[in-house]
Amino acid sequence: MEKENQTRFTKFILLGLSEDTEMQPLLFGMFLSMYLVTVFANLFIILAIISDSHLHTPMYFFLSNLSFTDICFTSTTVPKMLLNIQTESKTITYENCLIQMYFFILFSGLDIFLLTVMAYDCFVAICHPLHYTVIMNPRVCGLLLLASWLLSFLVSLLHDLMVLRLSFCTELEMPHFFCELNQVVQLACSDTFLNDLVMYFLTGLLGFIPLTGILFSYYKIISSILRISAAEGKYKAFSTCGSHLSVVSLFYGTGLGVYLSSAATQNSRANAIASVMYTVVTPMLNPFIYSLRSKDIKQAFKKISR
């Protein structure tokens, strides 16, 4: 390939979820509604936790950070999609694509690490209740949050640096609504073996180790709950982590569904539609899951309403 056809300063074309012009107003309205619900619902969770001193505990500290992360996670993709629909422009510059990809990986990784830390918090609360305040002290919570940010930062930075080494040709159409890492790598006209190796290794690492930690925590939690004789005690113990378990199931369920659908079909547009589940729908549903299942959050909402 001639050197003039290979450039690092180019534009990508995001084909979106549909090229049907009649569908664009419907998509705009639907995604704008979901985005606003996601932002305001998660902001409401953060406000409730900050305003109620009873919620100043490790569990709700991590929940407030998860809500903030979900707002940022959705904001990396949906506003650009809405802008493209409104302006009838499908382009995104190389630099903006890298920035979007960096923050998308950063906040998706942070989501994973926060869910893992919250599973550990549940494990300590149920399996070691007498030592909970000692183990989950403010310093430990701060360090766990800092470690989550640092690991997410390093992973996203490494992925972006790996993309910077690639050269791109003239075929720059992407059947997606945002710059998804795998789609960007597939557009490169230089050798992508090292990129694929790093991408699959880090994806496996981020998927396997946190999930293993979550599953081990819940194995211990369920074992402890089963040893409780009183039915009321079992219900109280399970309700402590019921919301988190629902969110974990939703996050990993949708993520696994997208992965399996992409492996089963070569239709990239179908994969883009499936990815809406974990990029938009999951962050929107998380605050509702916690507000419906948590009595503390409900009481905080009532205080704010009054």
Side-chain angles (χ1 to χ4, degrees):
M1 186 66 66
E2 295 181 7
K3 191 174 181 178
E4 57 265 27
N5 287 338
Q6 298 178 336
T7 177
R8 294 178 183 272
F9 305 98
T10 187
K11 291 182 178 180
F12 294 100
I13 300 172
L14 299 173
L15 298 178
L17 297 175
S18 174
E19 294 184 70
D20 186 353
T21 53
E22 294 180 359
M23 284 287 293
Q24 301 311 307
L26 176 63
L27 288 173
F28 182 85
M30 183 174 67
F31 278 89
L32 178 61
S33 301
M34 288 194 292
Y35 179 65
L36 291 176
V37 169
T38 301
V39 171
F40 286 111
N42 280 289
L43 279 176
F44 210 44
I45 290 282
I46 295 170
L47 180 62
I49 292 170
I50 292 172
S51 62
D52 193 336
S53 59
H54 294 97
L55 301 182
H56 294 175
T57 62
M59 181 175 70
Y60 291 109
F61 168 73
F62 292 122
L63 175 58
S64 63
N65 280 277
L66 181 68
S67 293
F68 172 75
T69 303
D70 281 340
I71 292 172
C72 297
F73 180 53
T74 308
S75 297
T76 59
T77 57
V78 177
K80 176 59 179 173
M81 178 192 180
L82 295 174
L83 180 65
N84 284 0
I85 294 174
Q86 188 67 20
T87 59
E88 298 182 355
S89 170
K90 297 182 179 180
T91 60
I92 182 170
T93 63
Y94 175 81
E95 294 83 0
N96 287 340
C97 186
L98 281 178
I99 292 169
Q100 185 185 60
M101 194 163 55
Y102 171 82
F103 283 108
F104 180 82
I105 297 169
L106 172 69
F107 291 116
S108 60
L110 193 55
D111 248 342
I112 292 170
F113 290 127
L114 283 174
L115 289 173
T116 308
V117 169
M118 291 170 77
Y120 175 70
D121 175 70
C122 287
F123 160 73
V124 176
I126 291 176
C127 299
H128 305 283
L130 298 178
H131 301 98
Y132 179 75
T133 54
V134 176
I135 297 172
M136 299 301 293
N137 60 69
R139 183 173 175 273
V140 170
C141 292
L143 287 174
L144 288 171
L145 181 63
L146 179 62
S148 299
W149 273 98
L150 284 175
L151 286 170
S152 302
F153 167 76
L154 291 173
V155 169
S156 57
L157 181 63
L158 179 58
H159 278 306
D160 255 29
L161 290 174
M162 292 300 296
V163 172
L164 279 170
R165 62 181 287 276
L166 298 176
S167 297
F168 295 90
C169 307
T170 54
E171 294 294 327
L172 300 175
E173 289 188 348
M174 201 181 305
H176 221 296
F177 63 95
F178 68 95
C179 285
E180 198 264 334
L181 177 62
N182 188 45
Q183 294 284 336
V184 173
V185 171
Q186 286 180 12
L187 291 175
C189 54
S190 53
D191 182 42
T192 62
F193 174 76
L194 190 58
N195 290 76
D196 291 333
L197 190 66
V198 170
M199 182 169 57
Y200 289 122
F201 174 75
L202 289 178
T203 302
L205 206 64
L206 282 175
F208 178 74
I209 294 178
L211 183 59
T212 302
I214 291 170
L215 291 175
F216 178 77
S217 295
Y218 273 101
Y219 165 74
K220 290 291 187 180
I221 288 168
I222 292 169
S223 298
S224 296
I225 291 174
L226 291 176
R227 286 198 294 268
I228 299 172
S229 56
E232 186 180 347
K234 287 183 179 180
Y235 175 78
K236 186 178 180 181
F238 184 76
S239 64
T240 303
C241 299
S243 299
H244 176 261
L245 183 60
S246 301
V247 170
V248 167
S249 301
L250 182 64
F251 183 84
Y252 276 98
T254 53
L256 184 62
V258 171
Y259 174 77
L260 292 175
S261 67
S262 62
T265 177
Q266 299 299 316
N267 190 337
S268 299
R269 183 61 58 78
N271 297 338
I273 294 171
S275 67
V276 171
M277 286 301 297
Y278 74 91
T279 56
V280 183
V281 176
T282 300
M284 181 182 69
L285 293 179
N286 285 352
F288 293 102
I289 292 172
Y290 274 100
S291 59
L292 289 173
R293 294 186 64 91
S294 172
K295 291 181 180 179
D296 295 329
I297 292 289
K298 286 179 183 178
Q299 289 173 357
F301 284 163
K302 289 177 182 177
K303 288 181 181 179
I304 293 173
S305 301
R306 288 199 295 268

